[in-house]
Amino acid sequence: MPLIEVKQLGKTYTDEGLATTALKDISFSIEPADFVAIMGPSGSGKSTLLHILGFLDKHSEGSYFFQGKNVSDYTDIELAKIRNEEVGFVFQTFNLLARTSLLENVKLPLLYSKIPEREWDTLAKNAIEAVGLSHRLLHEPSELSGGERQRVAIARALINKPKIIFADEPTGNLDSKSGQIVMDIIQKLNEAGHTVILITHETYTAENAKRIIRLQDGLIVSDEKVVNRRTAREHFVK
């Protein structure tokens, strides 16, 4: 059973009586442990699609099935639970709290979980270790490089052991070396069984995925498997 399946999905925004179509007739499925990159120029609809798939926005037309259930049948409480327990988000802007330690930043999602507080430090430290930042445990974001901050954001996304990770331009603010470190971490998460959906405008970043879906003017123009993922990683390092 697909983890995600969308059928003729559409999204239309209305502002002062003027309708703008952001997505139209989008259909595809994503299997568990897949790694899909969604590409497209500015205004193509890729961020809108990510927000819908990540339960941050609602579609206007068509159907969206998550784990076999129509998302329209979920209550708001159920959707909030899915966002907290089954989904991890990594954004281009990091979204870390200033004047707050790396450890405390990573623990934030646990405030809304059912996990006992006595286990929070251990879970956070494990997530931080997974991204190679145990030596920065008590540092604040201002004391970290951009690449390190993005790795903190990944650790925070991992804290609840989500089934799916949404990464929105995760290397957009990074130099090539830091970007490659981040992509290597995302690769390892995928190899460990996490489903990854990556939004990017960079071809060599997208080619780290197993599959690339390209959007143009709110429509899918191609959906292809990546033939040589190694080439992307080598390009990144140069």
Side-chain angles (χ1 to χ4, degrees):
M1 180 179 67
L3 178 64
I4 283 175
E5 185 174 15
V6 295
K7 299 179 179 179
Q8 297 179 305
L9 194 77
K11 177 66 178 182
T12 301
Y13 295 99
T14 302
D15 183 23
E16 297 183 353
L18 180 64
T20 302
T21 299
L23 296 171
K24 183 178 179 181
D25 198 26
I26 301 292
S27 298
F28 61 83
S29 61
I30 296 175
E31 300 295 327
D34 204 351
F35 186 167
V36 179
I38 299 174
M39 292 193 70
S42 178
S44 62
K46 59 185 185 295
S47 292
T48 298
L49 180 57
L50 179 138
H51 289 160
I52 292 172
L53 297 180
F55 313 102
L56 300 174
D57 198 359
K58 295 183 178 181
H59 56 285
S60 307
E61 300 89 29
S63 303
Y64 172 19
F65 294 88
F66 182 74
Q67 299 185 128
K69 182 176 178 179
N70 194 322
V71 170
S72 298
D73 294 333
Y74 285 101
T75 65
D76 288 343
I77 293 175
E78 289 174 327
L79 289 175
K81 183 178 180 181
I82 290 172
R83 280 194 300 269
N84 188 55
E85 297 180 0
E86 313 225 22
V87 174
F89 294 98
V90 181
F91 296 104
Q92 180 179 356
T93 52
F94 316 135
N95 295 334
L96 302 178
L97 294 181
R99 296 183 296 280
T100 304
S101 72
L102 186 163
L103 181 64
E104 294 302 317
N105 264 287
V106 172
K107 285 162 57 174
L108 279 175
L110 298 177
L111 293 172
Y112 307 99
S113 74
K114 296 180 181 179
I115 298 172
E117 188 171 355
R118 64 179 179 274
E119 299 178 18
W120 291 5
D121 275 5
T122 298
L123 289 172
K125 288 176 181 178
N126 288 342
I128 292 165
E129 182 179 1
V131 299
L133 286 176
S134 295
H135 62 296
R136 297 285 205 178
L137 206 63
L138 300 180
H139 285 67
E140 296 179 3
S142 61
E143 301 173 293
L144 305 177
S145 68
E148 287 173 330
R149 276 179 256 171
Q150 191 59 290
R151 286 153 67 187
V152 175
I154 292 173
R156 184 180 56 196
L158 289 176
I159 193 71
N160 282 330
K161 299 179 180 179
K163 290 182 179 178
I164 183 166
I165 295 172
F166 291 99
D168 189 0
E169 300 280 7
T171 64
N173 286 334
L174 306 179
D175 59 57
S176 59
K177 183 178 179 180
S178 298
Q180 183 55 48
I181 292 171
V182 166
M183 289 310 303
D184 284 345
I185 292 171
I186 291 175
Q187 285 273 7
K188 289 177 182 177
L189 293 175
N190 177 241
E191 291 166 3
H194 294 276
T195 305
V196 177
I197 297 179
L198 169 73
I199 297 291
T200 183
H201 66 278
E202 301 166 331
T203 300
Y204 55 85
T205 304
E207 287 175 349
N208 283 272
K210 298 174 181 176
R211 173 180 165 203
I212 299 176
I213 295 174
R214 287 184 169 84
L215 299 181
Q216 179 75 44
D217 298 326
L219 295 166
I220 292 179
V221 293
S222 67
D223 184 348
E224 301 173 339
K225 290 183 178 180
V226 176
V227 177
N228 189 353
R229 301 167 78 193
R230 181 181 297 275
T231 300
R233 291 193 286 276
E234 291 174 348
H235 181 102
F236 227 142
V237 173
K238 291 179 180 178

